[in-house]
């Protein structure tokens, strides 16, 4: 098991390096850098002006060196102001070291956000916490309800209940968030006034049922149908298995058969799906956060991309990659745990 | 008077599909007394499993009992409430069925699955449940029961799984045990072990049994009484020795005549298949259901009205036939004329020290790197001559199919040579073989369903085969050859346009035979060609193969675990164990002493359907070892019952050489000649 884990972690690290390298290259393309320099100097700056700004702030150092420094395995050189000869920070709102140091992702230094005018870490942490909270609530409503509905419709395949639930899940999965979000907001926010169509207040005042329900149920409904259908298929198949008959003929009641014998076997497949849903949820969250103005990771990502905020973009993509890879690992380990047939010796 | 445990009277069961009502069981009656075991035989689809499930009230949602009653212990099962039904299930009636792996929950440890039965039905402490489960594991003779209790089902072999299912069924000490084909998925030797066990447990615990099987031999070995089913009805029933000794229904007689009983061989006493097919449940004929297939059918008598069970000889023996008195039951079968044995030709295939090893990664998923070697075929030498049938027998995993794959070019050999018509073929994969070679070495597969493309008509598939082999110059010519091939395998020419799904299992196997014979092969390899088919269909295919082979002088390698079939069909036999040939010789030499200890055990495992034959018991311990870690010395030493008769621990250290005993008869064993000479026949 340990062996397996280390091997998987190794592969993960390698994947991460490759992916971040590509992203680092893309966000550091010449047009992006020029835009950055222009926004940081005065308007109508001359080409020389831009060039000297870029040189001064280390953007003209060799690409590999910059990438290594960003990761934190190479020393970051201080930026020397050619006029005064003294080290200065790139941006006025972030302090940067005056001597060469290791200050990359590994050391916890993600750079400086030009959009939010603060250190990336200071922006990202609260944003991630906010998104984590949102995702937690989405999962917490979506998974139990979806599994429950899936089990319910799969345990008596073809029953009336099954047919009603199947139609329902097809309708919800085929409605994207930007449609269901709008529809729900109009119904519950505008007409009925029960819920708040904006979650902006959640950042300052904390989450309430009033401001948080819509952002939670919009992606939850979308994913729910998907998981429920998965679970239903898996459950229906398990119910026809020979060992379910064995259990029944042992004298167990219908519900005892479901709980003791069918559930675990039926959950193996949906479990994998749920774990793989995390990355998908992340994209859903971007839409929802923007739609409901919720100050989380998704909104930060959108703002970063919209405002050419290089360091923040890098940090966002790193977080996404880590999340995707980590959920895959958890999914594999969990699958092996649930299914003894592939358990690692 | 003793009350019967189970009394089924005039039971009828139908399945209600959207289109039609399928009457699966009609007017079925049977009675089981305490401690008695009842056998239920019949072809696939005749309603055996439906009866079994109806007893436990576990029919599919569309199935319903339309008439009759099932009384268990005097109570009508239909009147039980759900709670009462749950109490009866598992504690009073338990069931074991065909696929042991599928009957066990894959994600639950054996211990939980066993003790659960006790927790459901009795108030027991954890410790007591564990102890009783362990005791039952010992009663079903499982080695190392403590370890097995902690295992998951997939960590055990098929035979062990079936023993656990039986242990589970017996744990709550039921009054009635229903076994639905409990050994069909298992090897002969494993089957023999399970049958022994079931018999022994029946005696020990006084459990009544309903034993469902299509194998008459198994029924004779295990049961006191038998009921023969045909097309949803009981057609004959009575004490086992009366029914098997004096058959009184033409269907039962047909079953016996279509089975290769051990005394028979293809030349002196050919099989007589039952003509026609089982009618579909909703297309049964008027009067006697068996009428259209019965050679004693009399118009105006047999097809007038429904027939009731009538006494046949003794009061306990009944038969559903109106002409019991009129038929001469001892007359020999018509059409079973003897054949002249074919002359055997020159050597065609010469295999010398053939070896096939596979490299496998220990665990694909988790990337275990250390590759291991599976020694599927270790040391195999034999010859096969023109027009000869050579049978290869042995338990699953002994390397039979790997050998066939090497000869067909689906695998290449690791070592040794295989000469076909004096050219080496062992290292030519199929895509490097000439069309001529491919068409000369053909295969008939176990499962006719897998080998036909479901989206093309069978005729066009045969034409394609001809085209591939470059036979015939134009499409018209091939078409007409295809029709001749259909004649050859005795299928109506109209079948050329049918799709594979429109054919029955036996018909598909005929198409398989036609395709194999399309290229005028010189050698046919038949891998378990009958094991997916019903008894009466098996007989027809067997006869077809025999006749074709006789006409075309084709060499046949018959891979089979059915020793009765092997005895019937083959000229010479090769016995394989763990990649080695342990014995070879002519069929007579193999079936008579002296035997290799493994052959002796195989013979003792054959279920005999002959009331007059006697069988010596040979107990085979344990299971076939993994081909990844074969034991040192003799491959059979871990299970050999005669090892003690070899001095000096030779069996554990030295691989025995192939010893020629008499002309053409050789065994791989260290046993001294005195011991071999003193062997008595297993079957007498
Ligand atoms: N769930 C079902 N729905 C419709 N028809 C069914 C169903 N189960 C069984 N039948 C039909 O009932 C008849 C009897 O089937 P059953 O399974 O009892 O046969 P069997 O004797 O056990 O055969 P086998 O030897 O193949 O196990 C068959 O014609 C089958 O097609
Ligand atoms: S009743 Fe007639 S058709 Fe039926 S089995 Fe007897 S002889 Fe044959
Ligand atoms: S060599 Fe020994 S172990 Fe092998 S079969 Fe002969 S007696 Fe048995
Ligand atoms: Mg059946």
């Amino acid at each position: 098991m340990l062996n397996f884990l280390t091997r998987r972690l190794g592969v993960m690290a390698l994947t991460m390096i490759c992916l971040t390298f590509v992203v680092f290259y893309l966000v550091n393309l010449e047009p992006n850098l020029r835009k950055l320099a222009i926004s940081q100097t005065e308007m109508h700056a001359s080409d020389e002006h831009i060039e000297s700004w870029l040189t001064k702030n280390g953007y003209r150092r060799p690409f590999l060196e910059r990438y290594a420094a960003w990761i934190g395995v190479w020393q970051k050189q201080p930026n020397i102001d050619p006029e005064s000869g003294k080290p200065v920070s790139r941006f006025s709102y972030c302090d940067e070291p005056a001597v060469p140091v290791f200050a990359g992702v590994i050391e916890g230094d993600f750079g400086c956000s030009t959009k939010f005018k603060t250190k990336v870490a200071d922006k990202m942490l609260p944003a991630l916490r906010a998104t984590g909270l949102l995702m937690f609530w989405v999962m917490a409503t979506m998974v139990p309800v979806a599994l429950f509905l899936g089990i319910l419709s799969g345990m008596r395949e073809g029953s009336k209940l099954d047919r009603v639930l199947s139609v329902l899940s097809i309708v919800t999965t085929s409605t994207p968030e930007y449609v269901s979000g709008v529809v729900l907001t109009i119904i519950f926010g505008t007409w009925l006034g029960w819920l708040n169509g904006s979650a902006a207040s959640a950042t300052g005042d904390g989450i309430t049922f009033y401001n948080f329900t819509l952002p939670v149920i919009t992606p939850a409904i979308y994913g729910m149908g998907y998981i429920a259908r998965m679970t239903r298929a898996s459950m229906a198949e398990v119910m026809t298995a020979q060992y379910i008959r064995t259990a029944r003929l042992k004298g167990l009641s219908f519900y005892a058969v479901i709980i003791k014998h069918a559930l675990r076997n039926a959950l193996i497949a949906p479990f994998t799906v749920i774990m793989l849903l995390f990355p998908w949820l992340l994209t859903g969250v971007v839409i929802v956060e923007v739609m409901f103005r919720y100050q989380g990771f998704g909104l930060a990502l959108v703002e970063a991309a919209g405002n050419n905020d290089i360091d923040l973009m890098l940090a966002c993509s790193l977080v996404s990659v880590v999340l995707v890879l980590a959920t895959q690992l958890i999914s594999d380990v969990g699958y092996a745990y649930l299914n003894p047939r592939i358990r690692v010796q | 008077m003793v009350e019967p445990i189970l009394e089924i009277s005039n039971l009828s069961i139908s399945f209600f599909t959207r289109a039609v009502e399928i009457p699966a069981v009609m007017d079925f009656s049977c009675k089981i007394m305490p401690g008695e075991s009842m056998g239920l035989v019949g072809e696939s689809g005749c309603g055996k499993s439906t009866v079994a499930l109806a007893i436990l009230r576990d029919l599919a949602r569309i199935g319903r009992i339309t008439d009759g009653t099932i009384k268990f212990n005097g109570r009508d099962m239909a009147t039980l409430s759900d709670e009462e039904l749950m109490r009866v299930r598992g504690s009073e009636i338990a069931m074991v069925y065909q696929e042991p792996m599928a009957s066990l929950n894959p994600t639950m440890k054996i211990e939980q699955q066993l003790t659960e039965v006790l927790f459901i039905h009795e108030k027991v402490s954890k410790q007591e449940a564990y102890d009783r489960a362990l005791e039952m594991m010992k009663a079903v003779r499982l080695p190392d029961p403590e370890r097995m209790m902690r295992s998951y089902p997939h960590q055990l072999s098929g035979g062990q799984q079936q023993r656990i299912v039986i242990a589970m069924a017996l744990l709550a000490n039921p009054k009635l045990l229903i076994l639905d084909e409990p050994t069909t998925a298992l090897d002969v030797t494993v089957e023999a072990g399970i049958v022994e066990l079931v018999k022994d447990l029946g005696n020990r615990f006084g459990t009544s049994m309903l034993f469902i099987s299509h194998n008459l031999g198994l029924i004779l070995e295990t049961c006191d009484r038998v009921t023969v089913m045909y097309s949803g009805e009981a057609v004959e029933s009575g004490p086992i020795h009366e029914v098997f000794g004096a058959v009184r229904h033409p269907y039962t007689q047909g079953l016996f005549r279509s089975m290769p009983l051990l005394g028979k061989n293809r030349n002196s006493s050919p099989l007589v298949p039952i003509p026609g097919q089982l009618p579909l449940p909703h297309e049964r004929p008027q009067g006697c259901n068996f009428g259209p297939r019965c050679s004693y059918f009399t118009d105006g008598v047999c097809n007038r009205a429904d027939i009731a069970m009538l006494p046949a000889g003794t009061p306990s023996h009944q038969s559903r036939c109106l002409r019991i008195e009129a038929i001469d039951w001892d007359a020999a079968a018509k059409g079973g004329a003897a054949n002249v044995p074919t002359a055997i030709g020159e050597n065609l295939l010469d295999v010398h020290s053939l070896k096939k090893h596979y490299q496998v990664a220990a665990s694909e998923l988790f990337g275990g790197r250390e590759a291991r070697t599976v020694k599927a075929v270790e040391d195999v030498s034999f010859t096969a001559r023109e027009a000869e049938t050579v049978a290869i027998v042995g338990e699953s995993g002994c390397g039979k199919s790997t050998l066939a794959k090497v000869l067909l070019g689906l695998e290449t050999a690791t070592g040794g040579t295989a000469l076909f018509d004096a050219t080496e073929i062992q290292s030519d994969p199929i895509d490097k073989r000439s069309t001529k070679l491919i068409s000369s070495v053909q295969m008939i597969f176990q499962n006719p369903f897998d080998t036909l493309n479901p989206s093309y008509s069978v005729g066009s598939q045969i034409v394609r085969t001809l085209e591939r082999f470059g036979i015939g110059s134009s499409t018209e010519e091939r078409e007409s050859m295809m029709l001749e091939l259909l004649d050859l395998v005795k299928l109506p020419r109209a079948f050329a346009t049918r799709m594979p799904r429109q054919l029955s299992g036996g018909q598909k196997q005929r198409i398989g035979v036609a395709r194999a014979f399309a290229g005028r092969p010189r050698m046919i390899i038949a891998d378990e060609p009958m094991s997916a088919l019903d008894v009466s269909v098996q007989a027809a295919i067997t006869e077809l193969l025999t006749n074709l082979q006789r006409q075309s002088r084709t060499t046949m390698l018959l891979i089979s675990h059915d020793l009765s079939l092997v005895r019937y069909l083959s000229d010479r036999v090769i016995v394989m164990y763990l990649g080695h040939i342990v014995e070879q010789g002519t069929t007579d030499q193999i079936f008579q002493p002296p035997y290799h200890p493994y052959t002796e055990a195989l013979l003792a495992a054959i279920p005999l359907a002959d009331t007059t034959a006697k069988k010596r018991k040979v107990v085979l311990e344990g299971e076939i070892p993994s081909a990844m870690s074969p034991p040192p010395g003799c491959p059979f030493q871990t299970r050999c019952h005669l090892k003690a008769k070899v001095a000096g621990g030779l069996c554990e250290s030295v691989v025995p050489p192939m010893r020629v005993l008499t002309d053409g008869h050789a065994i791989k064993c260290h046993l001294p000649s005195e011991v071999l000479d003193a062997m008595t026949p297993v079957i007498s």
Side-chain angles (χ1 to χ4, degrees):
Chain A
M1 191 69 198
L2 205 67
N3 201 353
F4 160 72
L5 272 180
T6 34
R7 206 156 39 225
R8 280 300 298 263
L9 288 172
V11 173
M12 264 176 73
L14 209 71
T15 321
M16 243 145 68
I17 290 174
C18 296
L19 282 173
T20 50
F21 186 83
V22 172
V23 173
F24 193 84
Y25 175 77
L26 289 175
V27 295
N28 277 297
L29 284 174
E30 189 58 25
N32 290 355
L33 293 181
R34 281 185 68 87
K35 244 196 274 168
L36 175 71
I38 291 169
S39 69
Q40 293 304 316
T41 53
E42 309 89 61
M43 289 293 165
H44 310 298
S46 65
D47 276 0
E48 298 98 79
H49 214 129
I50 289 171
E51 198 52 41
S52 82
W53 189 88
L54 286 173
T55 317
K56 183 185 86 178
N57 287 307
Y59 289 100
R60 286 297 183 236
R61 288 182 180 281
F63 178 74
L64 282 179
E65 183 194 322
R66 290 178 49 221
Y67 177 63
W70 176 74
I71 293 184
V73 294
W74 198 267
Q75 288 191 328
K76 203 173 252 169
Q77 300 300 327
N79 307 319
I80 307 294
D81 187 355
E83 287 156 27
S84 62
K86 292 216 175 102
V88 289
S89 293
R90 274 184 299 169
F91 312 112
S92 53
Y93 31 84
C94 299
D95 295 334
E96 276 180 344
V99 285
V101 279
F102 291 104
V105 200
I106 298 179
E107 288 81 21
D109 189 341
F110 289 86
C112 194
S113 162
T114 51
K115 159 73 185 161
F116 295 101
K117 306 215 186 307
T118 173
K119 289 214 157 222
V120 168
D122 294 342
K123 170 68 194 164
M124 278 300 272
L125 279 179
L128 276 177
R129 203 172 308 130
T131 298
L133 200 65
L134 178 62
M135 276 169 87
F136 170 78
W137 281 109
V138 172
M139 281 292 185
T141 35
M142 175 175 74
V143 173
V145 177
L147 292 183
F148 183 69
L149 293 181
I151 298 283
L152 219 56
S153 60
M155 75 189 187
R156 284 210 181 92
E157 204 187 355
S159 64
K160 251 196 209 101
L161 181 68
D162 175 28
R163 268 176 272 165
V164 172
L165 289 178
S166 293
V167 170
L168 215 70
S169 31
I170 290 173
V171 170
T172 58
T173 28
S174 45
T175 319
E177 283 112 334
Y178 48 84
V179 176
S180 57
V182 170
V183 172
L184 289 172
T185 309
I186 291 176
I187 297 177
F188 292 102
T190 317
W191 286 355
L192 299 172
W194 294 350
L195 300 169
N196 196 341
S198 157
S201 61
T203 322
D205 312 346
I207 58 168
T208 60
F209 184 79
Y210 180 64
N211 66 20
F212 213 47
T213 306
L214 282 177
V216 168
I217 60 169
T218 305
I221 283 182
Y222 183 50
M224 201 180 289
Y226 185 63
I227 301 179
R229 278 198 318 165
M230 248 332 268
T231 314
R232 175 191 174 276
S234 166
M235 183 71 184
E237 193 190 313
V238 166
M239 285 311 283
T240 60
Q242 194 73 264
Y243 58 82
I244 294 297
R245 171 165 274 162
T246 309
R248 212 164 45 221
L249 296 188
K250 272 179 186 173
L252 282 173
S253 68
F254 182 73
Y255 292 100
V257 170
I258 303 274
I259 288 164
K260 289 196 180 143
H261 291 267
L263 269 185
R264 181 169 172 179
N265 288 293
L267 288 182
I268 292 175
F271 178 81
T272 330
V273 173
I274 291 169
M275 275 301 147
L276 299 178
L277 269 182
F278 270 102
W280 161 84
L281 202 59
L282 209 58
T283 43
V285 156
V286 174
I287 299 173
V288 169
E289 286 184 359
V290 173
M291 193 181 253
F292 294 101
R293 306 304 305 166
Y294 180 65
Q295 295 292 336
F297 172 79
L299 202 56
L301 179 67
V302 171
E303 298 275 14
N307 293 287
N308 193 39
D309 190 340
I310 293 184
D311 287 358
L312 190 54
M313 271 197 277
L314 282 171
C316 285
S317 47
L318 186 69
V319 168
S320 317
V321 170
V322 170
L323 192 78
V324 170
L325 295 179
T327 48
Q328 261 166 15
L329 181 71
I330 297 175
S331 148
D332 283 355
V333 173
Y335 185 65
Y337 172 75
L338 280 173
N339 191 348
R341 258 175 291 189
I342 61 157
R343 196 168 293 175
V344 198
Q345 264 78 36
Chain B
M1 204 192 117
V2 195
E3 284 286 311
I5 280 284
L6 183 77
E7 188 172 13
I8 303 179
S9 12
N10 310 99
L11 182 72
S12 296
I13 300 165
S14 288
F15 291 99
F16 294 88
T17 64
R18 225 163 270 176
V20 281
E21 173 186 347
I22 302 173
V25 175
M26 286 159 55
D27 190 24
F28 177 87
S29 305
C30 102
K31 212 189 277 180
I32 302 179
M33 304 306 281
E36 191 180 61
S37 51
M38 165 68 90
L40 196 54
V41 264
E43 277 171 271
S44 174
C46 71
K48 307 182 295 286
S49 305
T50 308
V51 169
L53 292 176
I55 295 172
L56 281 157
R57 268 182 51 192
D58 196 49
L59 290 168
R61 204 138 32 96
I62 54 167
R64 220 171 51 224
I65 295 179
T66 50
D67 195 18
T69 54
I70 300 171
K71 274 198 182 139
F72 174 71
N73 237 351
R75 279 173 302 169
D76 187 345
M77 288 296 283
T79 62
L80 296 188
S81 69
D82 283 354
E83 284 77 48
E84 286 171 317
L85 183 64
M86 270 155 52
R87 218 168 304 134
V88 168
R89 284 176 176 177
S91 76
E92 299 193 42
I93 309 179
M95 184 156 173
V96 171
Y97 23 61
Q98 187 168 343
E99 288 279 335
M101 179 70 201
S103 324
L104 291 169
N105 186 336
T107 59
M108 223 167 154
K109 291 199 173 140
I110 302 298
E111 179 188 336
Q112 288 165 285
Q113 304 200 35
L114 281 171
T115 51
E116 186 183 43
V117 179
L118 292 171
F119 292 135
I120 299 168
H121 296 290
E122 293 169 40
K123 283 207 174 59
V124 288
S125 68
K126 264 203 156 122
Q127 188 56 42
E128 194 190 339
Y130 181 84
D131 292 343
R132 278 177 60 187
L134 198 67
E135 202 179 307
M136 191 50 84
M137 297 272 278
K138 287 179 187 146
V140 296
R141 293 185 223 128
L142 278 165
D144 201 359
E146 284 92 357
R147 185 180 61 82
M148 293 210 175
M149 289 281 262
R150 293 190 302 270
S151 313
Y152 285 97
H154 67 103
Q155 294 165 327
L156 311 175
S157 74
Q160 291 170 341
Q161 287 168 357
Q162 195 61 299
R163 280 168 197 263
I164 283 169
V165 175
I166 292 175
M168 201 156 79
L170 289 175
L171 207 50
N173 209 355
K175 296 196 179 68
L176 176 66
L177 178 62
I178 302 175
L179 300 119
D180 191 354
E181 313 250 12
T183 57
T184 309
L186 306 174
D187 255 316
V188 250
T189 51
V190 184
E191 173 179 83
I194 299 275
V195 165
E196 264 297 309
L197 175 74
V198 166
K199 259 190 339 196
D200 184 51
L201 293 175
N203 292 338
R204 233 166 89 190
F205 297 103
T207 318
S208 305
M209 278 189 271
L210 180 63
F211 195 105
I212 300 178
S213 177
H214 60 264
N215 186 325
L216 294 172
L218 275 185
I219 296 280
L220 177 63
E221 289 199 352
T222 46
C223 297
D224 308 313
R225 294 166 57 81
V226 65
T227 300
V228 182
M229 270 186 95
Y230 179 77
S231 188
E233 310 178 309
V235 291
E236 184 166 6
S237 80
I240 188 103
H241 286 276
E242 279 179 39
V243 175
F244 278 42
V247 171
R248 285 297 174 270
H249 193 279
Y251 175 64
T252 320
Q253 189 185 49
L255 282 183
F256 273 101
R257 288 187 173 165
S258 56
M259 280 200 332
L261 295 176
L262 258 195
K264 290 187 188 172
N265 79 50
R266 65 191 151 144
N267 295 321
S268 64
S269 46
L271 300 182
V272 187
I274 304 174
Q277 282 176 34
L278 193 68
L280 290 176
H282 50 280
E283 292 172 358
R284 294 196 178 104
Q286 166 136 39
C288 179
N289 281 340
F290 189 57
R293 301 172 75 185
C294 179
S295 54
Y296 307 107
F297 177 81
T298 311
D299 193 23
V301 179
C302 301
N303 56 357
R304 258 214 335 257
D306 286 349
I307 301 167
M309 287 294 261
L310 303 166
T314 60
S316 53
H317 185 179
Q318 293 186 316
S319 164
R320 204 183 284 271
C321 174
L322 290 173
R323 306 193 60 223
I324 299 173
E325 305 302 329
I327 296 170
D328 176 6
W329 294 101
D330 297 321
K334 270 187 252 140
N339 289 304
V340 191
T342 20
I344 305 290
E346 292 297 308
N347 264 6
L348 182 69
L349 179 72
D350 202 336
V351 177
H352 190 73
S353 305
L354 199 73
K355 238 193 240 318
K356 173 69 198 176
H357 293 180
Y358 290 101
Q359 305 289 14
V360 289
S363 153
E364 294 281 337
L365 181 70
F366 294 103
R369 281 297 125 84
E370 61 295 18
R372 294 214 259 168
T373 311
V374 179
K375 297 174 176 169
V377 173
E378 183 56 24
D379 177 16
V380 164
S381 310
F382 69 95
T383 55
R385 286 170 288 176
E386 190 192 57
E388 189 179 42
T389 302
V390 179
I392 304 173
V393 299
E395 283 166 280
S396 79
C398 74
K400 296 171 295 193
S401 297
T402 308
L403 177 61
K405 282 184 192 154
V406 172
L407 295 177
L408 282 164
L410 301 173
E411 299 281 357
T412 51
T414 315
T417 55
L419 293 178
F420 178 75
D421 203 15
T423 37
E424 289 199 13
I425 57 166
Q426 77 279 357
S427 29
D428 299 348
I430 192 122
D431 46 349
K432 298 255 165 58
R433 291 189 172 191
S434 65
T435 319
K436 180 158 167 287
L437 180 56
I438 293 175
S439 61
S440 325
V441 185
Q442 276 293 301
M443 174 97 180
I444 298 172
F445 294 91
Q446 171 169 15
N447 222 333
F449 312 92
D450 301 340
T451 54
L452 291 172
N453 186 335
S455 42
Y456 292 98
S457 71
V458 294
S460 68
Q461 295 195 49
I462 295 177
V463 172
R464 280 256 347 252
T465 308
L466 287 168
E467 212 172 275
R468 229 184 31 242
F469 294 158
I471 296 167
S473 48
S474 65
T475 311
E476 292 78 59
E477 194 182 333
R478 290 191 196 111
E479 292 271 349
S480 74
M481 287 169 99
M482 178 268 289
L483 293 175
E484 279 162 32
L485 276 168
L486 287 183
D487 295 343
L488 199 66
V489 296
K490 303 206 171 60
L491 283 177
R493 289 189 167 203
F495 274 43
T497 54
R498 287 218 190 168
M499 290 303 191
R501 76 188 124 76
Q502 294 170 307
L503 305 182
S504 72
Q507 289 164 343
K508 278 185 196 151
Q509 193 56 291
R510 279 173 199 268
I511 298 289
V513 173
R515 274 209 309 189
F517 274 91
R520 301 194 192 95
R522 303 190 48 205
M523 180 165 84
I524 293 254
I525 302 175
D527 192 352
E528 304 275 7
M530 317 296 175
S531 57
L533 305 172
D534 258 315
V535 190
S536 65
V537 185
Q538 277 181 18
I541 301 284
T542 306
E543 284 317 291
L544 174 69
L545 274 180
T546 320
N547 290 333
L548 281 179
Q549 192 193 13
R550 208 187 302 280
Q551 286 159 25
S552 56
R553 296 186 57 76
T554 311
T555 304
M556 184 153 77
L557 292 189
L558 173 72
I559 298 176
S560 179
H561 67 262
D562 180 351
L563 284 167
S564 319
L565 180 74
V566 164
R567 171 130 204 208
Y568 175 79
L569 264 182
S570 49
D571 301 301
R572 279 192 312 121
V573 180
I574 292 169
V575 183
M576 276 185 79
Y577 187 79
L578 218 58
H580 291 263
I581 291 184
V582 295
E583 180 169 7
Q584 62 173 308
T586 64
T587 306
D588 287 340
Q589 284 166 342
I590 296 287
F591 283 83
Q592 277 161 17
Y595 309 108
H596 184 279
Y598 179 58
T599 316
E600 191 181 18
L602 280 182
L603 290 176
I606 310 175
L608 291 179
D610 188 344
T611 44
T612 57
K614 285 224 163 33
K615 208 165 67 175
R616 190 151 55 84
K617 223 168 159 179
V618 178
V619 188
L620 201 52
E621 298 288 333
E623 320 244 332
I624 188 164
S626 152
M628 270 191 235
S629 49
C634 171
F636 189 52
Q637 55 122 325
T638 53
R639 300 166 78 189
C640 183
H641 52 288
L642 294 178
K643 197 163 76 169
K645 300 201 173 169
V646 176
L650 214 53
C651 301
E652 278 116 7
S653 52
V654 183
V655 182
M658 204 71 187
R659 257 161 75 198
V660 177
L661 298 178
T662 45
D663 183 33
H665 185 201
I667 73 171
K668 201 177 236 177
C669 178
H670 290 303
L671 280 178
S673 315
E674 311 90 75
V675 180
L676 290 176
D677 292 342
M679 276 186 175
T680 52
V682 175
I683 298 157
S684 49

